Amino acid sequence: MTRNLSNQNKSPRRLTAYVSILGTTQLHLRNPWIVAWWSIAFPGFGHLLLAKYLRGYILIGWELVINSMSNLNQAMVYSFTGKFELAKSVIDVRWLALYAPVYLFAVYDSYRTTIDLNNQFILANRERAFTPPFHMTGLEINYMDKRNPWLALLWSLLMPGMGQLYIHRIASAFYILLAWIGTTYLSHLLEGIQYTLLGDFRHATDVLVPKWLMFMPSIYCFALYDAYVNTVESNKAFDKEQRYFLKENYQVRKADHMRVISSFDHSIYLEMALTALEENGIDRKNILAVPLDRIADQPKKILDTMHRSDGISYIDTGIACATALTVIASSIGFKLAWGPIIWGLIGAVTGFFIGMLIDMLIRSPKDTRPVSKIKTEVVVLVDCDEKQIEMVENILWKHFAFGVAKLK
């Protein structure tokens, strides 16, 4: 029996993206091991990556309370510096006994949920079901658009949470900002940075509060990773939604006309060019917009995509290793001359490059195909009268076409 995709799209069973005033929630392929790692680093972060915000908030709050009350971070610092008796004496067993079950659940549930959502994405992607890419209320406006992943990373470097605001992930931004501001204040981080910059490493070490400071590498690195990866995935979702829109609305041809051919990348300017052509008398049936397929767009095997992310692996392992080594190096830094801040930075940089090196060594040859430098992602053909040629060309150039040619 033939499937009617147009009818399915009117009431899809699953969506790949949903635009609301709190952000753009989307399904995409994720590596379950990376998501589980973020739950290991800080319970709740794995769930935030999956847009499971309520569950993530509960687990993050649980981690902050139980960890601080049990003095677990303080014990970690003593353990990494070889003071094992102090580590045992500082632990509050009454609180620590509550820690393990929920911690293990956070790791297990984030891994399991990632695999489930990967399967849901595969099914939703086959339905080609998208919500409108624009949402406006009296409080806020949100829309799908392309943004720079490195700019999102930069804003997160300056202040964790700002990268999430840049890509309009309000739910994540709120909690990351709250966690960062709270731990910064309680750990006396800014005072420690001030003394470190002045070269007073002993005073910098004394003023820092280890049980709160040890939360900060995970929060900071997660903010960087979450902002970068979600910007990349949001850009992919924008491209995909626009591809479907172009195929449904601008692929009806009419013969016996002159043709103007142009090339674009996926951007809002492409749609502005198409609507400008229509406003200037070019019927939609005379416009053919053809999104080009790329290697990354080709379907993958389910067994591969179920357990892998689809394109950000270098930063995946790099940020994960940076987080782990920052925690270890900061703890050891309480005993070393330069203090925990300097050694934490050394650990972060070292861990990031180790992670990138690991990915380069283990990545299979089929994953390292050279990326084409050609930017063209959409070809637009316009059938028009000879007297309309100049007007069509001007509109296409005005809206940042990469190239324009005309055929008779």
Side-chain angles (χ1 to χ4, degrees):
M1 188 170 78
T2 304
R3 298 172 59 191
N4 191 331
L5 289 179
S6 62
N7 289 337
Q8 280 189 329
N9 287 336
K10 293 180 181 178
S11 56
R13 296 185 65 200
R14 301 171 182 86
L15 297 175
T16 55
Y18 178 74
V19 178
S20 71
I21 61 171
L22 293 179
T24 302
T25 305
Q26 61 186 104
L27 289 176
H28 61 83
L29 295 174
R30 296 176 173 91
N31 187 330
W33 295 108
I34 294 298
V35 176
W37 156 252
W38 282 112
S39 292
I40 293 171
F42 204 114
F45 280 175
H47 291 84
L48 288 190
L49 281 175
L50 300 173
K52 303 278 285 185
Y53 295 116
L54 295 179
R55 198 173 302 189
Y57 292 164
I58 292 172
L59 290 170
I60 291 171
W62 168 87
E63 166 70 12
L64 290 170
V65 171
I66 302 298
N67 191 310
S68 60
M69 296 302 293
S70 65
N71 295 317
L72 181 60
N73 281 345
Q74 182 72 61
M76 287 173 54
V77 172
Y78 287 143
S79 298
F80 284 129
T81 54
K83 300 176 182 178
F84 301 112
E85 291 302 319
L86 282 175
K88 288 188 285 186
S89 66
V90 78
I91 284 286
D92 189 329
V93 179
R94 294 177 301 170
W95 288 101
L96 188 64
L98 301 173
Y99 192 83
V102 182
Y103 185 87
L104 294 175
F105 170 80
V107 177
Y108 160 77
D109 188 63
S110 63
Y111 179 90
R112 177 196 60 80
T113 304
T114 304
I115 294 177
D116 290 344
L117 291 179
N118 282 351
N119 292 334
Q120 295 293 327
F121 169 77
I122 293 170
L123 294 173
N125 201 43
R126 290 171 181 170
E127 289 188 65
R128 299 185 177 183
F130 284 86
T131 56
F134 185 90
H135 188 88
M136 179 169 62
T137 69
L139 294 176
E140 187 62 89
I141 300 174
N142 186 25
Y143 50 91
M144 295 178 69
D145 197 5
K146 299 188 79 167
R147 293 179 172 86
N148 189 332
W150 295 108
L151 190 55
L153 190 70
L154 176 61
W155 282 116
S156 292
L157 280 168
L158 296 175
M159 170 64 78
M162 292 296 101
Q164 282 71 22
L165 284 180
Y166 170 67
I167 59 174
H168 202 99
R169 288 177 64 86
I170 305 298
S172 293
F174 171 78
Y175 219 77
I176 291 172
L177 274 170
L178 190 65
W180 180 255
I181 293 170
T183 51
T184 298
Y185 178 80
L186 294 171
S187 66
H188 297 264
L189 175 67
L190 297 182
E191 296 172 61
I193 291 175
Q194 180 182 4
Y195 288 125
T196 299
L197 293 175
L198 293 173
D200 190 352
F201 301 117
R202 185 68 266 163
H203 204 167
T205 302
D206 292 340
V207 79
L208 293 170
V209 181
K211 75 174 185 177
W212 292 106
L213 183 69
M214 291 300 98
F215 286 126
M216 304 192 76
S218 298
I219 297 172
Y220 193 76
C221 291
F222 173 79
L224 300 178
Y225 177 79
D226 181 73
Y228 181 87
V229 169
N230 278 295
T231 306
V232 171
E233 295 299 337
S234 294
N235 288 347
K236 290 181 183 179
F238 176 87
D239 290 355
K240 187 176 296 183
E241 192 279 334
Q242 192 176 70
R243 287 165 66 86
Y244 292 154
F245 170 77
L246 295 176
K247 288 179 180 180
E248 290 179 5
N249 293 275
Y250 292 98
Q251 291 200 359
V252 179
R253 289 191 53 193
K254 187 175 181 180
D256 301 326
H257 277 64
M258 294 190 68
R259 290 177 182 166
V260 179
I261 304 171
S262 58
S263 61
F264 288 84
D265 65 347
H266 283 291
S267 71
I268 197 66
Y269 298 107
L270 170 57
E271 292 186 44
M272 292 174 67
L274 297 176
T275 54
L277 289 171
E278 292 186 65
E279 286 185 347
N280 283 272
I282 304 297
D283 192 277
R284 177 173 292 194
K285 295 179 180 179
N286 294 330
I287 302 173
L288 182 68
V290 185
L292 301 179
D293 289 328
R294 297 167 294 173
I295 290 176
D297 298 324
Q298 299 304 311
K300 304 177 178 67
K301 296 179 181 179
I302 292 179
L303 291 179
D304 290 339
T305 57
M306 187 184 299
H307 291 277
R308 297 189 58 183
S309 177
D310 56 344
I312 327 289
S313 60
Y314 282 153
I315 195 171
D316 280 353
T317 309
I319 293 290
C321 290
T323 305
L325 284 191
T326 302
V327 172
I328 296 172
S330 297
S331 300
I332 297 174
F334 278 96
K335 190 176 181 180
L336 301 178
W338 290 349
I341 293 176
I342 295 296
W343 282 106
L345 293 173
I346 294 173
V349 174
T350 304
F352 183 76
F353 284 106
I354 289 175
M356 289 188 66
L357 181 61
I358 290 172
D359 266 329
M360 291 177 183
L361 292 175
I362 66 175
R363 178 181 280 196
S364 63
K366 68 179 180 180
D367 292 332
T368 55
R369 300 179 184 132
V371 178
S372 173
K373 295 182 179 180
I374 299 175
K375 293 183 178 181
T376 299
E377 295 175 327
V378 180
V379 175
V380 176
L381 290 83
V382 182
D383 293 333
C384 60
D385 297 329
E386 187 171 358
K387 63 183 180 181
Q388 296 175 307
I389 287 285
E390 184 176 355
M391 176 269 294
V392 170
E393 288 183 316
N394 288 338
I395 289 176
L396 295 173
W397 284 121
K398 181 180 177 181
H399 291 89
F400 306 107
F402 292 138
V404 177
K406 55 185 176 183
L407 294 175
K408 293 186 179 180

